[in-house]
Amino acid sequence: MRVVVTGAAGFIGSHVVDALSGAGHEVLAVDAPSRSPTPQVARRTWAEVAVRPGVVVAEVDLAVDELDVVAAADVVVHLAGRPGVRDSWGPGRAIAERDNVTATRRLLAACADRPAGCRPKVVVASSSSVYGSAGRRPNREDDPLNPASPYAVSKVEVERLAGLAADAGLRTVLLRYFSVYGPRQRPDMAFHRFAEAALDGRPLPVFGDGRSSRSFTHVRDVVAATLAAAAEELPPGIAINVGHGEHVAVREAITMLTGALGVQAEIHRETPVAGDATRTWADMRRAQRLLGWTPAIGLRDGLEDQISWHRALRTMQEVRVG
Ligand SMILES: NC(=O)c1ccc[n+]([C@@H]2O[C@H](COP(=O)([O-])OP(=O)(O)OC[C@H]3O[C@@H](n4cnc5c(N)ncnc54)[C@H](O)[C@@H]3O)[C@@H](O)[C@H]2O)c1
């Protein structure tokens, strides 16, 4: 299969490229690392994926550049964008609009412009944030959407665009990812910040009281669902939750994380983030039925995996400095 992966220098995208390369597919890995909130991290990841077998990289800003990169693709896995609820307020709103909405609109148009029979299937990253906070049961894909931040609003618009493209004949599928974690997790995300603080011996910066809960989902499980969505015949425009079926409170996750690190850490409580869900909770039945997917990695094991990565990164950095 020839696959274009956008956002390939990012957290999830880089793992998708690794998996596709490992399975022997041809991959065109697309990104514009300068659009990442942490360009130096994106450049480091970019260098890692660029040397994988069967991978060619192309630096393309999806919001402004020519998009002929989609020309030879059987599938486009579209993960590029500006993630994150917190930074989407204020000036972040225009960035989310540009890198989520404009970029997706242009990418879908470029795919739709291909001659009939040569149009790639497009797997598009959405987010659990489109639901707002979950209630007493897990969120199902046909629940009403209740976006509470500019980021979530941008993802609702991304979904609308993918739906319109499907109506016009493009095979699109929307994956609503739930709090992804694991090696290479973005520096702004909770477990990354907690692990780095704990390893430095600093208090852990926690937004709010730690009672909010998430369907934390390990990136290897997310990759498995994403590859299944690329391979399976699916109803065009369908949305599928990609999230662990259990939701865990942040403070419980902190206990697991500090336990795995073998440290006792203080908590530094920070003001809760406007628009952050108090609970995310994925109903997994559609993913099980259509993708044959159930997450395989529990939070305790998954956190150990992420911690090993933080330790390895530190060792590498020490070697470089030394
Ligand atoms: N990580 C999560 O928990 C999570 C949860 C829900 C949804 N998502 C979605 O999954 C996708 C990937 O998330 P991630 O955590 O890997 O983010 P990330 O920031 O690590 O990766 C996104 C990549 O997109 C690139 N990019 C941004 N704008 C671009 C543009 N205009 N042109 C080309 N490349 C551009 C960035 O350089 C970056 O490398 C995003 O769409 C995000 O909204 C992530």
Side-chain angles (χ1 to χ4, degrees):
M1 205 164 49
R2 283 165 304 178
V3 188
V4 169
V5 179
T6 77
F11 166 39
I12 302 173
S14 61
H15 285 280
V16 170
V17 174
D18 284 350
L20 287 166
S21 160
H25 297 291
E26 280 175 51
V27 184
L28 182 55
V30 170
D31 205 292
S34 60
R35 296 304 303 166
S36 162
T38 50
Q40 71 291 359
V41 174
R43 294 225 172 262
R44 182 183 71 209
T45 308
W46 197 222
E48 285 175 32
V49 301
V51 297
R52 300 282 188 250
V55 174
V56 173
V57 296
E59 192 157 339
V60 179
D61 183 336
L62 299 176
V64 291
D65 291 338
E66 281 292 316
L67 297 184
D68 40 12
V69 282
V70 300
D74 301 310
V75 178
V76 176
V77 179
H78 176 44
L79 301 167
R82 178 58 70 104
V85 165
R86 192 167 61 245
D87 294 336
S88 71
W89 298 99
R93 187 186 296 264
I95 298 174
E97 176 69 30
R98 179 194 191 280
D99 289 331
N100 296 343
V101 180
T102 305
T104 304
R105 180 183 297 115
R106 294 185 81 248
L107 182 80
L108 292 170
C111 295
D113 279 351
R114 301 284 307 142
C118 304
R119 291 183 194 125
K121 176 175 182 179
V122 191
V123 178
V124 180
S126 185
S127 160
S128 61
S129 67
V130 297
Y131 293 119
S133 287
R136 289 165 182 267
R137 61 160 179 79
N139 274 124
R140 290 196 292 260
E141 288 85 348
D142 50 8
D143 282 346
L145 304 185
N146 193 13
S149 66
Y151 169 67
V153 167
S154 78
K155 286 296 185 183
V156 170
E157 181 60 10
V158 162
E159 292 204 355
R160 197 183 67 85
L161 293 170
L164 288 173
D167 292 345
L170 196 66
R171 289 167 303 150
T172 60
V173 49
L174 289 152
L175 299 182
R176 292 182 181 155
Y177 295 137
F178 283 67
S179 300
V180 188
Y181 73 100
R184 302 197 195 118
Q185 195 191 38
R186 297 197 321 265
D188 62 296
M189 296 187 76
F191 293 161
H192 186 119
R193 293 182 305 114
F194 298 160
E196 287 298 318
L199 288 166
D200 286 345
R202 289 181 282 116
L204 312 196
V206 178
F207 294 110
D209 60 10
R211 281 175 210 260
S212 66
S213 63
R214 295 280 177 274
S215 273
F216 293 111
T217 313
H218 192 279
V219 68
R220 272 208 306 282
D221 283 329
V222 166
V223 168
T226 305
L227 298 197
E232 295 293 330
E233 280 296 323
L234 298 166
I238 194 160
I240 304 177
N241 288 341
V242 175
H244 206 285
E246 279 176 19
H247 65 103
V248 177
V250 169
R251 56 185 187 182
E252 234 181 279
I254 287 176
T255 307
M256 288 185 206
L257 182 120
T258 50
L261 281 163
V263 298
Q264 285 205 318
E266 273 176 55
I267 303 290
H268 182 260
R269 275 172 68 157
E270 301 189 349
T271 316
V273 175
D276 234 352
T278 50
R279 174 185 297 155
T280 68
W281 193 5
D283 185 311
M284 303 191 313
R285 283 173 292 181
R286 186 178 282 182
Q288 281 168 336
R289 188 162 42 83
L290 295 181
L291 306 178
W293 176 82
T294 15
I297 303 171
L299 188 54
R300 205 172 289 277
D301 290 342
L303 282 171
E304 283 188 9
D305 187 38
Q306 179 162 348
I307 289 166
S308 302
W309 173 76
H310 284 275
R311 290 197 199 277
L313 194 62
R314 283 175 172 239
T315 308
M316 254 161 44
Q317 280 161 351
E318 276 162 22
V319 169
R320 268 198 217 116
V321 171

